[in-house]
Amino acid sequence: RASLTLTDAAGSTPASRTAAVNSVMEHLRDAGVVSGWRDELYPVTPSFHDPPLFLMERAATPFLGIQQYGVHVNGLVAEEKGEDNCNELKMWMARRAVTKEKYPGMLDQLVAGGQPHDISPMDNVVKECDEEAGIPESLAREAIPVGAISYETLDEIDIPDEGGSLSLVSRSVLFNYDLYLPQEFVPTAKDGEVEDFFVWSLDEVAESMKEGYHDPIKPNCYLCIIDFLVRVGYITPEMPGYLDVIRELRNGSCR
């Protein structure tokens, strides 16, 4: 397994390491290798609750295979159905703005975001709920933490002026939350990153999981949504491949 060791020139403190590594990544950004720069620092740490060894620009983390963390929120609403007024559970979905650097125009969960170094997951949920869907803090803090999924992906990028490509490993843990919203609540995009919101029945959500579905969802959202469908019993042990699904929901490092 390959490893990267910082020299003594990087110093021995988190601040000095941060400055040294990010100076290299800024050079790669200026050379067109690192794209989608966000000016958002992620912690580089052995596990989630350990203090960071240094901080690193979010867009550059796959270049070192750094474990990333994020929060994903299932926006749920129970709507009355039929004469007996039984509630039918539905899920809010979002469509990403076509101006997004990654996955423009694709479907997305109601709220999702990366986990910066200086904020707790719940406070991050509150922040993202406000920015992405106009959900007030009083509602956002009702989000229920329901677990986490993990995954790894291998992506190829072209190297400008070199004529070659580079394989990047993205390693992620996503903390999942269920947020039950009032029937009368309608999300509103505040940060310009969402084009539209709409509600799907669970049957429609499940239909969108099929291979070749005409309107694809941002890839990592599939795992969070499938995890939800398992937890509410929509996906059951009687279905072929059930245990394979359970295993693959956490097939990456989860530390």
Side-chain angles (χ1 to χ4, degrees), residues 152-220:
E152 297 182 3
T153 61
L154 185 65
D155 301 308
E156 296 284 332
I157 66 164
D158 296 326
I159 302 177
D161 303 324
E162 295 288 336
S165 62
L166 186 66
S167 297
L168 302 182
V169 177
S170 293
R171 305 166 58 236
S172 295
V173 172
L174 302 180
F175 299 109
N176 293 340
Y177 293 78
D178 288 348
L179 176 58
Y180 289 85
L181 295 165
Q183 292 184 20
E184 66 275 11
F185 179 81
V186 178
T188 55
K190 294 178 62 176
D191 60 5
E193 296 188 358
V194 175
E195 181 179 306
D196 188 25
F197 295 102
F198 56 93
V199 175
W200 263 352
S201 68
L202 294 193
D203 286 344
E204 290 171 313
V205 171
E207 181 70 17
S208 73
M209 298 292 105
K210 292 183 178 179
E211 185 177 1
Y213 185 74
H214 70 279
D215 200 1
I217 302 173
K218 184 166 70 78
N220 63 358

Side-chain angles (χ1 to χ4, degrees), residues 88-102:
E88 178 187 12
L89 192 60
K90 294 189 175 183
M91 179 178 287
W92 277 103
M93 302 294 295
R95 184 175 301 281
R96 295 165 67 84
V98 295
T99 54
K100 291 283 288 183
E101 173 76 18
K102 288 188 174 182

